[in-house]
Amino acid sequence: MDDCIFCQIVAKKIPARIVYEDDDLIAFEDIKPQAPVHILIIPREHFPSLNEVPEERKSILGKILLIAREIAREKDIALSGYRIVLNTARDSGQEVFHLHFHLLGGRRMSWPPG
Ligand code: 5GP
Ligand code: ZN
């Protein structure tokens, strides 16, 4: 996936401020943070969005959530609160078509989202 910016981050072809990585996942700071803590957590494997994650790869989804929880603890926002966002396809505003979860925290957020 040479034209995918997040695949290039996975391959370390473009830099990112990585906060966590293992054999399946990588987590890094968003380049345009929308909150004091704004981390993106992505699978190393390329899926354009949640819509394309096959049933046999479903374990990656739970793993991402548990790593997000762990990062929230490390960033000291677990108790104050945080939001995990998964934009999917056009109406959500998804801009990068490599599955990614946003972890946002460190400020009070409003509801509903825009
Ligand atoms: P989406 O709207 O697709 O859910 O969110 C994409 C996110 O990726 C945005 O928050 C955007 O700031 C972030 N982003 C886009 N390009 C890059 C990049 O090259 N590096 C990093 N660290 N974040 C990026
Ligand atoms: Zn990709």
Side-chain angles (χ1 to χ4, degrees):
M1 290 294 166
D2 288 346
D3 57 348
C4 172
I5 191 107
F6 287 178
C7 280
Q8 290 179 47
I9 288 175
V10 167
K12 309 262 169 78
K13 286 182 183 159
I14 65 164
R17 291 163 73 131
I18 294 168
V19 299
Y20 174 85
E21 61 182 320
D22 64 24
D23 289 348
D24 300 317
L25 305 177
I26 177 164
F28 52 93
E29 292 179 8
D30 196 292
I31 205 166
K32 202 176 154 198
Q34 302 299 320
V37 175
H38 188 172
I39 307 286
L40 301 174
I41 306 148
I42 73 172
R44 288 186 185 275
E45 190 175 353
H46 180 93
F47 306 108
S49 80
L50 181 63
N51 286 337
E52 289 81 24
V53 178
E55 183 74 16
E56 62 269 21
R57 299 293 286 120
K58 66 183 175 189
S59 64
I60 197 76
L61 301 172
K63 185 166 180 185
I64 288 174
L65 284 179
L66 293 183
I67 292 299
R69 183 178 70 176
E70 190 57 36
I71 295 170
R73 283 191 192 124
E74 284 167 11
K75 296 286 181 186
D76 206 23
I77 56 169
L79 297 182
S80 54
Y82 55 92
R83 185 173 290 173
I84 292 168
V85 174
L86 171 54
N87 291 324
T88 304
R90 185 193 58 218
D91 280 355
S92 74
Q94 184 181 2
E95 289 180 350
V96 177
F97 287 84
H98 178 128
L99 178 70
H100 56 279
F101 288 60
H102 299 252
L103 168 65
L104 296 142
R107 67 168 171 82
R108 191 67 184 246
M109 283 169 229
S110 58
W111 191 263

